[in-house]
Amino acid sequence: MELWKKQFIQKLNNFHKLVLMGIGNPESSDDGLGPEIVNIIAERITKNYSSVAVINCYGSPENFTSKIKKENPTHILIIDSCIAGKEPGSIFLVKPSQIKNMDLSTHRLPLYLLHDYLKSETGAKIIMLGIEPQSVCPGTSFSTPVRQAIGETVEFLLDFLKIYHKE
């Protein structure tokens, strides 16, 4: 099993209420991977998953903080394209120190501000799943490595939720 999957399970296997946040601009090629992943997840999970809330934040996660707080999450998973100098399509968990000390995101709002705000307002454990983009240029197509990473991530998340969600 890949390292990111092991780390993910360790960090999230005891959630009671999980909020999945997809962040990114679908008009900027690979930057739209977060919204794509959460849209697919939302289509495939049933209403029986009351312990999971899926929120597509697109490029403005700050506009969804009230909705996130109302969910009263124990865990928040942020899914976003992250520039970390890895191979395009690489999937990895971003350490909290990386969120605070590096500008990994392709967005104007620094993710450390979002992280710190949500942490202080909800007390939730926040996990960030990043995928290295190949291109964030204008366009609506995903690069081949990112398309593959999206498929792998969706498959893993759906399997994880089947096993670990609690009612």
Side-chain angles (χ1 to χ4, degrees), residues 5-166:
K5 292 177 181 177
K6 289 179 185 176
Q7 293 171 332
F8 185 94
I9 292 169
Q10 288 173 341
K11 293 177 183 292
L12 285 163
N13 70 358
N14 63 345
F15 78 87
H16 294 285
K17 180 66 176 206
L18 173 63
V19 171
L20 298 175
M21 295 174 60
I23 301 176
N25 181 354
E27 300 296 319
S28 295
S29 304
D30 293 342
D31 190 43
L33 65 87
E36 179 74 5
I37 290 169
V38 298
N39 283 343
I40 295 169
I41 298 291
E43 289 173 4
R44 295 197 184 161
I45 64 173
T46 66
K47 293 181 181 181
N48 295 335
Y49 286 75
S50 61
S51 60
V52 180
V54 180
I55 301 174
N56 193 336
C57 300
Y58 293 102
S60 303
E62 65 276 9
N63 293 340
F64 296 88
T65 56
S66 293
K67 187 173 182 177
I68 293 163
K69 290 190 296 187
K70 285 180 186 173
E71 292 291 340
N72 196 25
T74 59
H75 293 74
I76 298 171
L77 174 62
I78 299 171
I79 304 170
D80 194 6
S81 62
C82 292
I83 299 169
K86 299 179 181 291
E87 288 292 317
S90 296
I91 305 166
F92 53 97
L93 294 188
V94 180
K95 296 176 184 171
S97 61
Q98 289 174 303
I99 295 171
K100 294 180 182 187
N101 297 327
M102 299 171 68
D103 187 15
L104 295 170
S105 176
T106 59
H107 313 296
R108 287 186 186 154
L109 174 72
L111 285 178
Y112 75 88
L113 291 177
L114 178 66
H115 175 278
D116 290 354
Y117 177 77
L118 290 174
K119 183 84 175 153
S120 70
E121 291 294 312
T122 66
K125 185 172 189 175
I126 301 174
I127 298 91
M128 183 166 175
L129 185 123
I131 298 176
E132 183 79 34
Q134 181 172 312
S135 172
V136 292
C137 295
T140 56
S141 300
F142 294 110
S143 65
T144 299
V146 167
R147 183 174 307 284
Q148 291 170 345
I150 289 169
E152 181 181 349
T153 302
V154 166
E155 183 180 323
F156 174 77
L157 290 175
L158 289 171
D159 289 345
F160 174 84
L161 292 175
K162 285 178 190 171
I163 295 168
Y164 291 101
H165 88 278
K166 298 167 180 63

